[in-house]
Amino acid sequence: MAAMARRPGRDLLAGLTVAIVALPLALGFGISSGLGVAAGLATAVIAGTVAAFFGGSGLQVSGPTGAMTVVLVPIVHEHGASGVLTVGVMAGLLLIALALARAGRYMALVPAPVVEGFTLGIACVIGLQQIPAALGVPTPEGEKVTVVAWRAVLDFAADPGGWAPAIAAGVVATMLVGARWRPTVPFSLLAVAGATVVVELTGIEASRIGELPAGLPAPSLSFLDPAALGSLLAPAVAVAALAGLESLLSAAVADGMSVNHRHDPDRELFGQGLANVFAPMFGGVPATGAIARTAVNVRSGARSRLAALAHAVILGLIVFTAAGLVARIPLAALAGVLLATAIRMVEVGSVVAMLRSTRGDAVVLALTAVATLALDLVQAVILGLIVAGALALRAVARDVRLEAMPLRPDLPGDHTDEEHALLAEHIVAYRLDGPLFFAAAHRFLLQLSEVADVSVVILRMSRVTTVDASGALVLADAIGRLRRRGITVYVSGIRDGHHQPLNALGVIADLDEAGHVFATTPQAIAAARDHLHRTGVLAVGPA
C-alpha cells in the first residue's frame, strides 16, 4: 500500500490507459457471454476493484476475458443467466478454498506448450464467436462454436448484404495496423468511436448495443437457487480452474515484464475468489486476471495496485455518465475489436519456436489447441498436462541414472577448492544436474535468480540430462533476472542435443553473441576472471 502513495501520478495515468483499452473489451465479452454489455461492465468495475485491492499482484488487472466467455456460453444455454451468476459465486468460494490450501504454488507445474496451445485454441474460439455479429446475421442455434460460425457463414451467403462486415473489417484493420504503427495509442477505442460516428452520420443500418442501465444494480443474491447447486457444481469447478489458471498466468506475465515485482500466488487466488463472489451480486459474470490488460498496465508505467483500482473507478464513471453514448455502438464494431484481440493473442514467433523446440512440445501444443477448440477448456488443459507428463516421464526414463560423486578436494574435475576461491573473487559456479524440464526446473533455477554479492555466475550444464521448452524458458528467466541486476553470466558444457531447444527459444542467443558460452568450465572460469580484471573488480595480477 505504501507504493500507492509514492507515485500516484504514474499509476493514475496507467489506470486511465488501461480503462480506455478495457472498455470495448468489457462490452464485447459481456455480449459474447450471453448476459449482455451491462454484465461485462459490472464485471470490469466490481471484480476489477475487489481483485486489485485483495489480490496478490500489484500489477494485475482483472475483468471479463475471452477464455472465461468461452466457458460461460454453454452454461448460459443450459442453466440461464441465474445459473451463470450462481456458478460465479460457487467458483469464487472454490478459489478462496484453494488459496487457504496454499495451492497457488502448483501453477509452476503447468508446461509452457500447454499454455501456448491453450492460448491458441482460445484465440480461435473467440474469433469464431464473433462471426455472426461481424457478418450482421442473427446468431444461429448450437453449442459448438465451429458449428455456429459455419451456419452464420451459410446464412450470410444465402442473403449477403448490410454494412456489418465492412464495419468489423475496418475496426480490425485499424487496430492491427495502428498497433504496429503506434503501440501506445488505444486504437480499439478510437476504432469503435469512429465506427459509431460514421454509422450515426450516414444512417447506415446496423445493429446497436441498445439501452443500458445508467449505473450498477443494487447488490443481491436473489438469483441463488439452492435446489440447483448440485447440478452447477461441475461448471463451477471448471470456472474456478480456469479463473485460477488464467489469473496466475497473467500475474506471472506481469512479473516477467517488471524487474523487482513478484506476486503471491495464494493471495492472488484469494483476491480472485472474492472478486467472483461479489461480481455476480451486481449482475457480473465470473472474472479472471486479464493478460492483455495487465500487459498494458505494466507498459504504461504502473508501479502499484492503484493503477488497477483507477481503471475500475474510471469504468464505473463511464457506466454512470455515458450509458447513452455506449448504447449507440454498433455490434459489428465490438465484433471487430474481439476479432483483432483474438489475432493479437497469438504470438506467432513463440508458437513457431515451440513447435521447432522438440517433437514432444509440438505434440502437446497442437493437441491442447485442438482440444480447446473441440472440447471443454478445462478438459483441454487436463489432456495437455497428461500428455506432457507422459512425454516428460518417458524422456527422463530414457536418460535417468544414479551416480555417486562425493565432493572431495582430491577428486578431479569438481573444482571444490577452486570454487571457494572464486567465491571470494565475486564469482560463483553452479552445476545443473539432471533433467531441466517443466516439473524440475523451478526447484533450483528460482534459487539461482536470488544469488547475491557476486559479480559473475557460471552455469555448468554438462550434467543436464533433459531440456524441454518450459525448462529452457525458466532458465532464460533466471539468466535475464541476473543480468538485469548487473551480474555477468557465463555458460559452459552444453550438450549437443540441448542446443536445439535453447537456440529455438532464444535462451542463449545473447550470451553466445557476447562470447559467454564455452565448451568447458575452465574456459568459462578464465573468461570470468579476465572480465573481472578488465572491469576493475579484481586487482590486475596473478589470480
Side-chain angles (χ1 to χ4, degrees), residues 291-304:
I291 295 177
R293 276 156 275 179
T294 298
V296 171
N297 193 40
V298 178
R299 292 191 186 113
S300 300
R303 291 294 183 269
S304 76

Side-chain angles (χ1 to χ4, degrees), residues 422-510:
L422 290 174
L423 183 59
E425 298 175 340
H426 305 281
I427 303 173
V428 62
Y430 281 85
R431 189 178 69 199
L432 280 58
D433 293 292
L436 186 61
F437 76 128
F438 72 88
H442 287 263
R443 285 185 298 180
F444 47 87
L445 288 178
L446 288 181
Q447 298 176 8
L448 180 62
S449 63
E450 301 294 337
V451 63
D453 299 324
V454 297
S455 298
V456 176
V457 167
I458 299 173
L459 300 180
R460 299 167 56 187
M461 299 185 61
S462 60
R463 297 195 180 187
V464 173
T465 57
T466 302
V467 180
D468 76 348
S470 297
L473 290 174
V474 173
L475 178 61
D477 180 63
I479 292 173
R481 288 179 183 274
L482 290 172
R483 298 179 75 185
R484 284 196 294 270
R485 290 168 49 203
I487 297 174
T488 303
V489 179
Y490 293 85
V491 178
S492 70
I494 300 175
R495 295 186 178 186
D496 290 340
H498 298 165
H499 281 87
Q500 181 183 355
L502 294 176
N503 286 326
L505 295 169
V507 177
I508 60 171
D510 290 342

Side-chain angles (χ1 to χ4, degrees), residues 347-440:
E347 295 286 347
V348 177
S350 178
V351 172
V352 171
M354 206 160 291
L355 290 174
R356 291 176 177 174
S357 175
T358 66
R359 184 177 300 176
D361 290 332
V363 169
V364 171
L365 189 153
L367 183 63
T368 306
V370 172
T372 301
L373 189 59
L375 305 174
D376 176 81
L377 298 188
V378 176
Q379 291 177 353
V381 172
I382 292 173
L383 180 61
L385 287 172
I386 292 173
V387 174
L391 292 173
L393 290 176
R394 186 184 69 167
V396 172
R398 285 179 173 178
D399 204 28
V400 67
R401 64 180 181 273
L402 292 175
E403 189 175 7
M405 295 288 291
L407 295 175
R408 301 199 311 269
D410 59 327
L411 196 65
D414 277 318
H415 308 286
T416 304
D417 290 340
E418 186 174 11
E419 285 177 2
H420 282 294
L422 290 174
L423 183 59
E425 298 175 340
H426 305 281
I427 303 173
V428 62
Y430 281 85
R431 189 178 69 199
L432 280 58
D433 293 292
L436 186 61
F437 76 128
F438 72 88

Side-chain angles (χ1 to χ4, degrees), residues 177-436:
V177 175
R180 296 180 65 87
W181 177 51
R182 289 285 190 275
T184 58
V185 176
F187 281 100
S188 58
L189 186 65
L190 294 179
V192 169
T196 305
V197 170
V198 169
V199 170
E200 288 289 328
L201 294 178
T202 60
I204 291 174
E205 287 291 331
S207 299
R208 315 293 185 101
I209 287 177
E211 186 176 355
L212 284 174
L216 297 174
S220 171
L221 288 173
S222 60
F223 55 84
L224 284 177
D225 180 8
L229 295 182
S231 62
L232 293 174
L233 180 58
V237 171
V239 168
L242 178 60
L245 175 69
E246 190 171 14
S247 297
L248 293 178
L249 279 175
S250 178
V253 169
D255 288 353
M257 294 177 65
S258 61
V259 177
N260 297 316
H261 184 271
R262 273 231 183 129
H263 73 283
D264 181 336
D266 296 316
R267 183 180 171 184
E268 182 62 25
L269 289 179
F270 181 79
Q272 294 296 334
L274 284 181
N276 280 290
V277 168
F278 281 99
M281 298 182 187
F282 295 84
V285 298
T288 77
I291 295 177
R293 276 156 275 179
T294 298
V296 171
N297 193 40
V298 178
R299 292 191 186 113
S300 300
R303 291 294 183 269
S304 76
R305 58 188 72 238
L306 177 61
L309 287 169
H311 133 272
V313 170
I314 292 169
L315 288 177
L317 292 175
I318 293 173
V319 172
F320 281 98
T321 61
L325 293 176
V326 172
R328 304 300 299 169
I329 295 175
L331 292 177
L334 291 182
V337 170
L338 298 187
L339 281 170
T341 301
I343 294 171
R344 293 169 61 180
M345 282 177 66
V346 181
E347 295 286 347
V348 177
S350 178
V351 172
V352 171
M354 206 160 291
L355 290 174
R356 291 176 177 174
S357 175
T358 66
R359 184 177 300 176
D361 290 332
V363 169
V364 171
L365 189 153
L367 183 63
T368 306
V370 172
T372 301
L373 189 59
L375 305 174
D376 176 81
L377 298 188
V378 176
Q379 291 177 353
V381 172
I382 292 173
L383 180 61
L385 287 172
I386 292 173
V387 174
L391 292 173
L393 290 176
R394 186 184 69 167
V396 172
R398 285 179 173 178
D399 204 28
V400 67
R401 64 180 181 273
L402 292 175
E403 189 175 7
M405 295 288 291
L407 295 175
R408 301 199 311 269
D410 59 327
L411 196 65
D414 277 318
H415 308 286
T416 304
D417 290 340
E418 186 174 11
E419 285 177 2
H420 282 294
L422 290 174
L423 183 59
E425 298 175 340
H426 305 281
I427 303 173
V428 62
Y430 281 85
R431 189 178 69 199
L432 280 58
D433 293 292
L436 186 61

